[in-house]
Structure formats: C-alpha cells, structure tokens
Amino acid sequence: MFVVLLGPPGAGKGTQAQRLTTSTGLLHLSTGDMFRENVREGTELGTLAKSYMDRGELVPDEVTIKMLLERITRPDAAEGAMFDGFPRNVVQAAALDEALQGRGDSIDHALLIAVPDEELVARLGGRWLCRVCGAVYHELNDPPSRPGACDTCDGELYQRDDDRPDVVRTRLEKMKPPADLIDHYRDADVLREIDGERDLDSVTADLLEALR
Ligand code: AP5
C-alpha cells in the first residue's frame, strides 16, 4: 500500500506517520527528515537543502524528486510506504505516479490533515524533537515525561531552526498543499480529508479508518 500524507506545516503529518507506522507496519518516508539527516551529516545535498529550509522555502524539485525516487528503489519500500512531506506540488506528484506505475503500483490513499493557521503557529512554536530517534513532542499538547529528554530512548530534545516565528510565517504561506495538488488526488479518487484539529488519538483513529 502506498499512502500520501498531505497537510500544512504543523498539521501533524510526522506525528501521525509515526503512530500509523506502529499500527500498520508501513515504511515512513519523510523528505524533511531525509534533508535534516543530510544536514547533520554535512553532505553536499544537506548544504543545498539547508539554504532553502532555513528560509522556509521548497528545495528545488529536481533535487527532491531524485532523492525520493532513489529511496523508493530500496528493498524496504517494495511493498509500500507512507510519504510525509512529498509530494508538495503536481510536478512531484506526477514524478511519483510515473515511478510507481513503472513497477505496477499506484497511490492508494491521499490523506489531507486539515488544521487552521492559528493552531499551526501554536503547534510549531511548542514542538520539541528527539535528536536520536526523531520522536515528536509538544510542550503543552504532548509533553515528554521529563523536560528535555525523550520518553522512548532518553535522547536529547531540540527545537527545529525553521520553527522560529519569522520562518514559520513564510512556511505557512509557501508550504500548504496547493489546490491543484489536492485536485490531482481528488481526480484519482483517493483523497480523504481528516479534521486535524482534535486530540492525537482521534486523528489517528480517523486516519486508520480511512486506510481500511
Ligand atoms: P518537513 O519536515 O516536511 O516540514 P513541514 O511540512 O513544514 O511539516 P512539519 O514537520 O513542520 O509538520 P508536521 O505536519 O509533520 O507536524 P508534526 O507532526 O511535527 O519539511 C521541512 C523542510 O524541508 C521544508 O520547509 C522544505 O524546505 C523541505 N522539504 C521537505 N519536503 C520537501 C519537498 N517534497 N519538496 C521540496 N522541499 C521539501 O506536529 C507539529 C506539532 O504539533 C508537534 O509538536 C506535535 O506534538 C503537535 N501536534 C500534532 N498533532 C497534534 C494534535 N492533533 N493536537 C495537538 N498537538 C498536535
């Protein structure tokens, strides 16, 4: 099964993908996580991606598409994957469709997590992530048991550079799923909209129901 998670920054794509992976066993592929890993490792791709991420802008399509399409050729993506943060536009969606069609697959579900802007700002400002395992927390909505330490692996928690208020404003302008991308999946009859402005468990339950 191949699933696309769509939604604005802070909608809960990463948080829900981690929960759905636990329930479904699907491989979680986040282009944002791939870029951040490259930044940490100091690769050429990481340096290029960082210059866009720090401004809250999209990394160029040719770079992003190449990275993602290479990733899905690995054996662990043979049976399916859950894409988080990809595609962001119809050019990326068409490239993914073509690559999947080439191996007899297609997107089975596109799940759009909808959350209003004012809630997104509060979520991104209070987000903390584990440096080791990538677990996502929120200082008010989903706090760790001990401030600064991950419940799962005891790793150090940090805040993302692009969660600064000035960058968040740009991301909310530029990173929302565009209407033609939503139409792309509506036309393919795989789109479901999920109300993301509820507690974490209710959103997870709706997403799981949509995948049945
Ligand atoms: P990426 O990492 O994909 O960032 P994003 O889309 O901006 O999404 P976020 O990770 O910020 O939000 P999320 O929806 O995962 O929310 P989360 O679960 O953490 O991309 C980063 C950058 O990489 C981009 O800006 C771009 O430069 C580049 N990039 C990535 N993909 C690209 C592509 N395809 N093409 C080009 N460039 C690309 O939740 C947020 C917070 O809210 C957390 O604290 C969480 O605990 C809390 N929360 C979540 N759900 C709930 C809830 N239901 N109730 C209360 N709190 C909640």
Side-chain angles (χ1 to χ4, degrees), residues 2-152:
F2 289 89
V3 179
V4 166
L5 285 183
L6 300 170
K13 302 182 297 295
T15 304
Q16 293 296 339
Q18 287 177 359
R19 289 169 155 237
L20 296 176
T21 293
T22 308
S23 320
T24 64
L26 266 180
L27 175 70
H28 173 203
L29 291 181
S30 155
T31 38
D33 286 350
M34 290 180 208
F35 286 134
R36 281 184 286 279
E37 197 180 318
N38 274 277
V39 172
R40 270 196 304 279
E41 290 171 355
T43 67
E44 203 177 312
L45 172 61
T47 307
L48 175 81
K50 190 171 180 348
S51 64
Y52 291 91
M53 294 165 81
D54 283 353
R55 295 198 301 268
E57 292 176 4
L58 286 179
V59 178
D61 282 346
E62 59 273 24
V63 175
T64 309
I65 290 170
K66 183 165 175 257
M67 174 181 76
L68 194 277
L69 295 192
E70 185 281 321
R71 180 63 188 84
I72 61 171
T73 62
R74 297 193 208 161
D76 60 353
E79 299 297 324
M82 183 175 306
F83 300 106
D84 157 13
F86 188 97
R88 301 266 180 176
N89 56 38
V90 285
V91 173
Q92 295 184 5
L96 180 58
D97 287 348
E98 192 184 333
L100 291 178
Q101 274 158 20
R103 55 199 245 185
D105 292 316
S106 60
I107 296 297
D108 300 289
H109 301 279
L111 307 177
L112 171 62
I113 307 177
V115 178
D117 278 7
E118 57 277 15
E119 169 75 8
L120 297 171
V121 172
R123 286 191 188 178
L124 294 171
R127 171 165 60 183
W128 289 82
L129 297 132
C130 176
R131 258 189 221 292
V132 180
C133 72
V136 187
Y137 298 90
H138 188 279
E139 57 197 21
L140 301 177
N141 306 336
D142 186 22
S145 311
R146 276 191 305 126
C150 178
D151 290 350
T152 311

